[in-house]
Amino acid sequence: MAKTTSRSPKQAVAASTLRVAVLPVRDNVHFPAIVTTLLVGREISLRALNASTKDEGLVLVLGQREMTVDEPVAADMHRLGTLSEVMQVLPMPDGTARLVLRGLSRCRVQRLNSRSGYFVAECSPLEAIPAQGPSVEALKREAIELFQDVASLGRMVPTEALELLPVIDDAGELADNIVNQLVLKPAVKQQVLEMIAPIERIERVIKLLASERQVLQLQSDLRSKVERELGNSQREYFLREQLRAIQNELSGDTELSPEGQELKVRIEAAKMPDAVRDKASAELRRLDRAASNSPENMVIRTYLEWLCDLPWSITTEDRLDIHEASKILDRDHYGLQRVKDRILDFLAVRQLSQSLRGPILCFAGPPGVGKTSLGRSIAEALGRKFVRLSLGGVRDEAELRGHRRTYIGSMPGRLIHGIHTCGSRNPVFMLDEIDKMGMDMRGDPTSALLEVLDPEQNSGFTDHYVELPFDLSAVMFIMTANVVESIPAPLRDRMEIIHFPSYTEAEKLHIARSYLVPKKSQEHGIRGKQLTIQDDALQTIVRHYTREAGVRSLEREIATVCRKSARRLAEGAVREVTVDADNLSEFLGRSRYRYGQAGAQDEVGTATGLAFTEFGGDTLSIEVNLMPSLAEQPNLMLTGNLGQVMKESAMAAVSYIRAHPDIYGPFRHDVHIHVPEGAIPKDGPSAGVTIATALASAATGRPVRRDLAMTGEITLRGNVLPVGGVREKALAAHRAGIRDMVLPADNMADLDELPVEVRDQMCMHPVRTLAEVFELALRPKTT
């Protein structure tokens, strides 16, 4: 049962009035600053516990006036309780729940209402009243000495409780801790809870301790009298049993409880490394000595169960049939030849050498190109288990490396948890969205991954909870990212990055025809030839209903067609549905995108650029307006949510045009440069050529070709510098129906990455200067 907290418990306590669920207890009293374990079984308590998960994990623990009341009403509960934080909830097989509470502060109830089978209290936290001085110190020492006397007279008190008392500075908190350890009636403990003044509280506790010491002394005297009256045979039997226990302790051959025997068998069966087995055996001995109802018992038992369940020596056998692996990869994904070759290379080397460590790959590319789904296909091709862990938004290092066992409710990190879930120490482990991890005051999770992804270190990965090295060298790690630049350099250096390109139109059509249409038809219950989607309809969907690097939107549109078709078939209007380009709008509505620019009119001051984003390539329209300047120094306005680098490119373009008045005329205008879709941030130097072209068009009155897209960085001298993402930009121009593209001459070598069908259909114009760009892009001036 998870709880989500929007503010800290300290902030909650600081509030003047709170509305929290009420957890009624009838046989105990809970005090502030104390962690306790409760067993909850009544419906009213379980409902309050469920409500607390929606209320910042806070509950108000109120004592009942009568223990025998199973279904209390408002009058049955006290009006002062303890505001507590629910730290851990452990559901039990019988429907009850064991929970761990941490007291925060005393809280006085102002109003108690019933809601949906549980109580909700409007209450005010009571601030602790500090008390200091020699008299307070004397009271504290007297209370501690009396408590130590009580403990020495036979009262079962945990050792850590005795060690904690001397370090408590606050007299009220000291009194609460002592009362919590004493066996008193709930009514007596409630009286102490309702004492707000620390001095009054600790004086009351001293009286209770003095009375308890007197009772224990009388009980001890009575026990001594009875023992003196025991016969010789009974005394001899008692001494022999003590001697047997001492001998077993000295020889180390103590008899374990049934639970301990079961864990011992599981430890032997787990085939742990020697160091791990020794640690587990030592913890097992601690478990046998701990009280069965103590929190320490539960912590140790949970830890031992984790150690036994981890696959220390369990591995799956790799399927080393390269031909079969190639068939599986080709069956599930079209294209992606470079990625498939890398997997087949790994299998080939593994077939020759059994000592090869698991590779650490990073699939980088826009969304929807098959990065995550390919991981499952790789696991199937290798015959391994598959584990996926999403890292998007992870900010806490403990989520990856676990919490230390000193914290209540600690658990292993998500890495060890994934290994535990799959039951194998050599799975294919996919770490999704690694570029979207963050960091804050709780640590830097990317640094925690350095040990995991370093082949020289991950053979001894240590989780904070397990505290023992676990070998991750056999794991095949696969990361996914949209933008590689967002990954920290030390982490990026440990990975082999494989870039996933955007799909071409031909590839999308093949994927839709061979994968998506059969898949969605089966999901929607359409069989055989009940639905036929013509190729021209698929092409129309690709061109006029989607504009993306991957195929997610394409899959959604095909699913819409299948839903509409399923409805027609279910209504009995038709027996077969055929979808073509002419009737596609009946299923998907009007088209959302315009394909191609051939029908558009050339405009002055508007140029088409190309951008490379984390979602792939895209076209970018840049507009320029010139207005007579009334100021001595003309103004430059930039709008459209532009980044700093793009603003500097615009200033460089303006400076270049102003520096050549003989070509572009005297430039005494205010300049307004705008990039549409202002809600989307834009940055990068590659828009320099496009801005300069739109600016030159506005200055000379010459229209810009609308069937021409361009990219490139510029200098103040008018030189065109190379840029990145040429392949994605070219595919974006091709998707938009543009067949002419201007790009820096130094980027011509990047065209080898383009698919042959795209390269043959497009005309590339290499340029080195802005003069060459203007010659290609600007039409003659119209009169």
Side-chain angles (χ1 to χ4, degrees):
M1 187 180 300
K3 58 188 179 72
T4 303
T5 304
S6 59
R7 58 177 176 172
S8 67
K10 291 183 178 180
Q11 292 173 325
V13 172
S16 59
T17 302
L18 297 174
R19 287 179 59 86
V20 293
V22 174
L23 184 65
V25 295
R26 51 184 175 181
D27 57 354
N28 202 352
V29 176
H30 185 39
F31 289 90
I34 293 175
V35 177
T36 188
T37 302
L38 293 179
L39 185 64
V40 175
R42 292 187 291 177
E43 286 296 327
I44 189 173
S45 301
L46 294 174
R47 293 191 190 104
L49 187 60
N50 290 330
S52 70
T53 62
K54 305 174 183 177
D55 192 23
E56 307 173 348
L58 299 178
V59 293
L60 179 63
V61 181
L62 284 182
Q64 291 184 200
R65 301 182 188 277
E66 295 293 336
M67 295 176 55
T68 58
V69 178
D70 287 331
E71 298 182 0
V73 296
D76 294 328
M77 288 181 283
H78 294 285
R79 288 301 183 267
L80 192 142
T82 303
L83 182 65
S84 304
E85 178 189 8
V86 180
M87 302 184 66
Q88 184 183 24
V89 179
L90 181 63
M92 305 300 289
D94 59 354
T96 62
R98 186 185 297 274
L99 66 150
V100 179
L101 296 175
R102 179 167 68 92
L104 300 179
S105 72
R106 286 170 167 80
C107 209
R108 189 178 302 279
V109 177
Q110 299 172 351
R111 183 178 300 172
L112 200 60
N113 301 319
S114 178
R115 178 198 296 173
S116 301
Y118 67 95
F119 288 102
V120 176
E122 295 182 9
C123 57
S124 300
L126 302 177
E127 297 183 1
I129 304 174
Q132 297 178 350
S135 59
V136 176
E137 185 64 25
L139 289 172
K140 288 169 53 180
R141 293 182 181 181
E142 178 65 15
I144 293 174
E145 290 178 2
L146 285 171
F147 186 73
Q148 290 173 344
D149 290 344
V150 169
S152 64
L153 287 171
R155 177 66 65 199
M156 297 299 295
V157 178
T159 305
E160 55 268 21
L162 291 171
E163 296 173 351
L164 176 65
L165 295 182
V167 301
I168 298 178
D169 295 328
D170 185 77
E173 183 177 347
L174 177 65
D176 292 344
N177 275 270
I178 291 175
V179 171
N180 185 64
Q181 297 294 333
L182 296 178
V183 181
L184 301 171
K185 294 181 179 180
V188 177
K189 290 189 175 183
Q190 182 67 29
Q191 291 176 0
V192 177
L193 181 68
E194 293 181 355
M195 293 179 177
I196 308 302
I199 295 179
E200 180 186 5
R201 200 185 315 161
I202 198 166
E203 288 176 347
R204 173 62 172 161
V205 169
I206 289 175
K207 293 178 181 178
L208 292 172
L209 286 171
S211 175
E212 183 73 9
R213 182 177 62 176
Q214 185 177 6
V215 171
L216 289 175
Q217 286 175 343
L218 292 174
Q219 184 179 356
S220 178
D221 294 339
L222 181 61
R223 185 184 302 112
S224 299
K225 182 178 179 181
V226 172
E227 288 177 354
R228 284 194 300 268
E229 295 175 358
L230 288 175
N232 292 332
S233 59
Q234 293 174 316
R235 184 181 298 108
E236 183 178 355
Y237 172 80
F238 178 76
L239 293 175
R240 287 184 181 279
E241 289 297 321
Q242 280 190 325
L243 180 61
R244 184 180 295 110
I246 293 173
Q247 289 174 343
N248 288 337
E249 187 71 17
L250 291 175
S251 64
D253 188 22
T254 57
E255 183 178 353
L256 295 173
S257 63
E259 181 186 23
Q261 292 288 356
E262 179 184 352
L263 285 173
K264 183 177 181 181
V265 172
R266 293 177 62 183
I267 290 172
E268 295 298 329
K271 298 181 180 179
M272 306 173 180
D274 294 342
V276 179
R277 187 174 61 254
D278 294 343
K279 174 71 172 178
S281 300
E283 292 294 325
L284 182 60
R285 290 192 293 271
R286 285 186 58 204
L287 175 67
D288 201 58
R289 292 194 297 268
S292 59
N293 59 348
S294 68
E296 183 184 18
N297 181 286
M298 183 176 65
V299 170
I300 298 175
R301 185 173 65 252
T302 304
Y303 176 68
L304 286 174
E305 289 175 350
W306 268 99
L307 290 184
C308 294
D309 291 340
L310 282 176
W312 299 97
S313 58
I314 301 175
T315 59
T316 55
E317 185 177 354
D318 285 342
R319 181 190 293 121
L320 301 179
D321 189 340
I322 298 178
H323 298 290
E324 182 64 24
S326 179
K327 290 180 182 178
I328 294 174
L329 295 176
D330 290 336
R331 179 199 67 194
D332 296 338
H333 292 82
Y334 177 72
L336 305 177
Q337 196 57 44
R338 182 181 176 188
V339 184
K340 296 176 182 177
D341 287 343
R342 178 63 183 86
I343 303 306
L344 297 178
D345 291 346
F346 168 73
L347 284 177
V349 176
R350 189 61 185 263
Q351 186 174 349
L352 300 177
S353 173
Q354 296 296 325
S355 62
L356 184 66
R357 295 170 175 168
I360 298 173
L361 308 178
C362 179
F363 294 165
V369 295
K371 301 186 297 296
T372 303
S373 59
L374 184 62
R376 297 184 184 275
S377 300
I378 291 173
E380 182 182 354
L382 294 175
R384 294 190 179 191
K385 301 289 184 66
F386 178 76
V387 185
R388 177 182 174 271
L389 171 60
S390 178
L391 298 178
V394 173
R395 295 178 177 272
D396 189 355
E397 178 186 354
E399 286 196 47
L400 299 178
R401 303 199 64 160
H403 301 82
R404 300 190 184 278
R405 284 193 293 143
T406 53
Y407 301 107
I408 294 179
S410 58
M411 292 292 287
R414 295 169 69 180
L415 291 167
I416 291 296
H417 195 277
I419 298 292
H420 169 267
T421 302
C422 74
S424 169
R425 57 179 291 267
N426 66 333
V428 174
F429 206 126
M430 173 160 282
L431 301 176
D432 231 346
E433 309 290 355
I434 195 172
D435 58 325
K436 296 178 177 59
M437 297 176 67
M439 61 177 293
D440 59 10
M441 60 183 179
R442 291 169 291 184
D444 182 6
T446 56
S447 298
L449 284 177
L450 293 177
E451 180 184 2
V452 178
L453 302 181
D454 192 336
E456 301 298 328
Q457 302 181 38
N458 61 10
S459 59
F461 172 72
T462 303
D463 184 271
H464 288 160
Y465 179 83
V466 177
E467 294 179 345
L468 295 165
F470 189 89
D471 188 3
L472 297 178
S473 61
V475 178
M476 182 176 185
F477 285 103
I478 299 178
M479 270 61 63
T480 69
N482 295 133
V483 181
V484 177
E485 289 74 18
S486 302
I487 306 174
L491 191 59
R492 191 167 63 242
D493 181 61
R494 287 164 167 79
M495 302 182 297
E496 178 182 345
I497 298 176
I498 299 177
H499 292 276
F500 276 53
S502 300
Y503 287 124
T504 64
E505 181 178 302
E507 290 173 336
K508 289 182 179 180
L509 291 175
H510 181 89
I511 292 171
R513 188 185 309 111
S514 303
Y515 297 89
L516 301 182
V517 172
K519 173 185 174 183
K520 292 302 173 182
S521 297
Q522 182 180 4
E523 289 180 0
H524 291 81
I526 300 175
R527 301 179 181 86
K529 298 182 179 180
Q530 289 181 313
L531 173 62
T532 302
I533 303 179
Q534 303 287 356
D535 287 350
D536 60 347
L538 293 176
Q539 187 179 55
T540 303
I541 295 176
V542 170
R543 290 183 173 181
H544 296 280
Y545 290 88
T546 64
R547 183 161 291 179
E548 56 176 344
V551 292
R552 284 183 182 167
S553 295
L554 177 60
E555 184 175 4
R556 285 192 289 267
E557 299 300 331
I558 292 176
T560 301
V561 173
C562 292
R563 284 197 305 272
K564 300 292 185 183
S565 302
R567 179 178 175 181
R568 295 187 181 187
L569 293 170
E571 290 174 348
V574 294
R575 293 185 177 181
E576 295 181 358
V577 177
T578 300
V579 182
D580 55 24
D582 296 331
N583 65 356
L584 182 63
S585 58
E586 299 177 9
F587 297 84
L588 300 180
R590 64 180 183 85
S591 60
R592 301 180 184 86
Y593 303 100
R594 185 175 61 184
Y595 180 80
Q597 304 287 347
Q601 183 180 358
D602 298 336
E603 296 182 28
V604 175
T606 301
T608 302
L610 297 169
F612 178 51
T613 70
E614 59 181 299
F615 305 105
D618 199 2
T619 57
L620 197 69
S621 179
I622 295 180
E623 302 173 347
V624 173
N625 268 354
L626 301 182
M627 297 155 287
S629 176
L630 301 178
E632 182 175 344
Q633 180 67 29
N635 295 321
L636 172 62
M637 291 179 290
L638 302 169
T639 57
N641 203 354
L642 308 184
Q644 184 61 35
V645 176
M646 200 167 180
K647 291 179 180 179
E648 293 175 357
S649 297
M651 289 187 284
V654 172
S655 296
Y656 175 79
I657 298 298
R658 285 177 177 171
H660 297 81
D662 53 329
I663 302 176
Y664 309 106
F667 201 80
R668 301 290 300 173
H669 300 85
D670 289 337
V671 181
H672 186 177
I673 300 175
H674 178 69
V675 183
E677 299 183 19
I680 302 175
K682 310 169 190 69
D683 203 5
S686 61
V689 165
T690 313
I691 296 174
T693 302
L695 194 61
S697 171
T700 60
R702 297 172 61 184
V704 182
R705 290 174 54 186
R706 294 288 289 172
D707 61 343
L708 180 70
M710 57 192 72
T711 183
E713 184 180 357
I714 62 171
T715 68
L716 286 177
R717 298 293 180 265
N719 296 321
V720 180
L721 303 181
V723 293
V726 172
R727 185 189 190 280
E728 304 298 328
K729 294 175 181 177
L731 291 178
H734 186 268
R735 282 198 302 270
I738 300 175
R739 295 297 181 260
D740 287 84
M741 178 176 167
V742 171
L743 76 163
D746 292 338
N747 283 125
M748 290 298 292
D750 297 329
L751 299 180
D752 294 339
E753 300 179 2
L754 282 176
V756 176
E757 64 272 14
V758 175
R759 192 165 59 241
D760 292 343
Q761 294 177 18
M762 296 194 66
C763 180
M764 299 296 178
H765 302 279
V767 295
R768 294 190 179 277
T769 64
L770 281 176
E772 298 177 41
V773 177
F774 297 160
E775 183 67 24
L776 290 167
L778 299 180
R779 302 283 192 188
K781 184 176 181 180
T782 58
T783 57

